[in-house]
Amino acid sequence: MVQMVDTDRAAQMRKALVAQLRDQGKILSDTVEQAFLRVPREGFMPADTDLAVVYGYDKPVVTKRDAQDQAMSSVSAAYIQAAMLELAQLRPGMRVLEVGSGGLNAAYIAEVVGPEGRVVSIDIDPEVIDRAATALDATGYSIRVRVLVADAEHGVPDEAPFDAIIVTVGAWNIAPAWLHQLQPDGLLVVPLIMNYVTRVIGFRRNGDHLISTATEIAGFVPMQGEGSRPHKHIELTDATGCKVTLSFDSGAPSDPAQLDGVLTAGTAESWSGITIGHGVSFADLHLWLAWFLNGFCRLSAEQGTDLTAKERWLPFAAVRGAGLAYLMLRDVPQDDAAEFGVRAYGGDAKLAAAALTEQVQAWYRAGRHTVPTFTYWPTGSDHSRLHADAKVMDKTNGTIVISWPALVAADSPSGDH
């Protein structure tokens, strides 16, 4: 896997990448900086990968696809690798489990924990593990990293306990094995999928539950094996015969037949009055909707549908009875901004449009410019400590709770909670 490269150019690009990661606040510590300076990223990429991609700030590289051309394994973008290492708060001498292999991230971890530390990297795919082992060997890290074919759902009990567990695949659930194999004060860093929206969350163990320390926005290849999550898909047809697909992580309609012909029924349109400056991120709107909007789903459409003919639309939607509503944007030139709007279809179009519009406005009031925190309570933990009005999302083996500062303050008479 090691390729013939201009080593001087690679070294210069590596330094430039590290400087950018520092400048953007993704690298915070000297130990992570040194790891990024020492590990040759090109040694873990497909041989034909251009150095500009290898050392790109936000450029993931897919290393394996399935028969439907969906990514099955990839090398994460540099910014998220750095951020996750910082979230894990690694120190020399730590024992670390990496879930989802590829070699590069394990090499970074090995540099940070040093020769007295221990790194175990697992993946369910033997081909991925073979490729990681080859790259680690070629770059001199094989003696510092143990790679294993294993299902993440079970962890690696014979190597436990771990000071930190870093999950590098999208996880819908938090496997009980990860908690069992984590030190009492250990850190779990996991890209957690919550109703189709992913956040990389750094969790600190606190007795029988986990409390988030920080989060990062990123998307990951979904987990395979026992921890994978089947999704519900509903296919609709518009007036032109093109397909629109609704994908539900949870909360799919109990009677999807209500949506038959919804795209050829009546329409409704609503503009929220909420604007966002051009170039300003509104990623937390997606997270807000995933948590607070009943009937939330992801929406995809074939080219040629009514949706793709309209001005900018966003791939998030809501179902209400026989109504389907989705988000869109229109420019507000005088404000150098865009306004959020909703277009809806079906007999319950007005109901669906109102529900989605109301949540966009609620996000603007209570969720914008604030960072939510998360706690995870595994099955069997003491839920009596949860606030009666806590917003919860059930997972296979526990419950996630989200707290937005503005909502918590509004709920508390004293402003503190």
Side-chain angles (χ1 to χ4, degrees):
M1 188 176 294
V2 174
Q3 50 187 299
M4 298 299 293
V5 296
D6 182 336
T7 55
D8 289 339
R9 179 169 175 254
Q12 291 172 356
M13 296 180 77
R14 200 173 304 132
K15 289 180 181 178
L17 173 61
V18 168
Q20 186 178 11
L21 292 168
R22 272 284 196 184
D23 184 60
Q24 296 297 318
K26 303 306 179 185
I27 288 181
L28 303 172
S29 63
D30 292 342
T31 52
V32 172
E33 176 178 314
Q34 288 304 308
F36 268 75
L37 287 171
R38 290 171 183 155
V39 177
R41 288 181 69 86
E42 64 274 15
F44 297 87
M45 305 283 184
D48 60 349
T49 309
D50 189 274
L51 281 179
V53 175
V54 171
Y55 287 102
Y57 173 83
D58 57 359
K59 299 184 183 299
V61 176
V62 175
T63 55
K64 184 176 181 179
R65 295 183 181 274
D66 63 16
Q68 288 73 46
D69 203 37
Q70 297 297 308
M72 296 180 68
S73 182
S74 66
V75 179
S76 297
Y79 87 91
I80 192 60
Q81 288 182 313
M84 290 179 77
L85 292 175
E86 296 289 7
L87 285 173
Q89 300 179 30
L90 302 180
R91 300 186 306 276
M94 278 188 165
R95 182 177 289 264
V96 181
L97 172 64
E98 181 194 32
V99 173
S101 194
L104 177 56
N105 202 57
Y108 285 143
I109 296 169
E111 283 287 356
V112 176
V113 302
E116 300 304 316
R118 176 73 167 165
V119 184
V120 181
S121 182
I122 64 173
D123 201 285
I124 198 170
D125 189 333
E127 183 180 333
V128 171
I129 285 295
D130 286 346
R131 186 168 58 246
T134 299
L136 288 163
D137 189 52
T139 52
Y141 288 95
S142 58
I143 61 172
R144 301 169 65 178
V145 179
R146 182 187 181 195
V147 291
L148 296 170
V149 176
D151 190 320
E153 192 73 4
H154 307 294
V156 189
D158 63 338
E159 290 278 2
F162 298 100
D163 299 294
I165 297 175
I166 302 176
V167 182
T168 62
V169 289
W172 190 87
N173 183 47
I174 293 178
W178 302 345
L179 297 184
H180 295 157
Q181 295 171 26
L182 191 64
Q183 291 277 21
D185 62 345
L187 275 146
L188 169 67
V189 179
V190 56
L192 192 62
I193 301 169
M194 297 167 286
N195 222 0
Y196 269 108
V197 176
T198 301
R199 286 295 180 272
V200 178
I201 306 176
F203 281 113
R204 170 77 71 180
R205 188 166 193 164
N206 183 21
D208 64 349
H209 64 289
L210 301 171
I211 300 176
S212 68
T213 58
T215 63
E216 183 69 47
I217 297 171
F220 280 79
V221 172
M223 184 172 291
Q224 302 175 55
E226 291 185 31
S228 63
R229 169 74 173 181
H231 296 146
K232 172 74 172 179
H233 303 286
I234 298 176
E235 277 198 353
L236 307 174
T237 305
D238 73 358
T240 68
C242 293
K243 299 293 184 186
V244 172
T245 302
L246 308 181
S247 300
F248 295 85
D249 166 317
S250 58
S254 57
D255 183 13
Q258 289 191 84
L259 295 174
D260 290 348
V262 69
L263 295 176
T264 58
T267 62
E269 193 169 291
S270 172
W271 291 96
S272 66
I274 303 303
T275 61
I276 191 82
H278 291 309
V280 177
S281 173
F282 52 89
D284 272 350
L285 170 59
H286 309 160
L287 183 66
W288 180 279
L289 296 177
W291 274 85
F292 290 94
L293 183 63
N294 292 332
F296 176 87
C297 60
R298 291 295 300 265
L299 180 149
S300 58
E302 286 182 339
Q303 192 64 36
T305 62
D306 260 357
L307 274 69
T308 58
K310 305 292 184 184
E311 59 183 332
R312 288 174 293 168
W313 59 280
L314 302 171
F316 300 97
V319 171
R320 279 290 192 284
L324 168 66
Y326 64 89
L327 277 174
M328 54 186 179
L329 289 167
R330 67 178 178 187
D331 286 331
V332 184
Q334 65 270 27
D335 296 332
D336 191 27
E339 181 184 4
F340 293 105
V342 175
R343 184 172 286 115
Y345 297 85
D348 290 326
K350 289 184 179 179
L351 181 65
L356 183 47
T357 302
E358 286 168 7
Q359 286 305 327
V360 171
Q361 294 167 340
W363 163 76
Y364 185 83
R365 292 192 303 270
R368 192 180 181 195
H369 302 314
T370 62
V371 179
T373 58
F374 302 87
T375 54
Y376 176 73
W377 298 82
T379 301
S381 55
D382 181 9
H383 287 200
S384 67
R385 286 169 285 173
L386 294 183
H387 190 278
D389 296 324
K391 189 65 179 176
V392 302
M393 186 180 290
D394 290 332
K395 295 293 183 179
T396 307
N397 301 108
T399 299
I400 294 284
V401 181
I402 193 168
S403 299
W404 249 278
L407 293 182
V408 171
D411 188 53
S412 173
S414 66
D416 295 318
H417 203 340

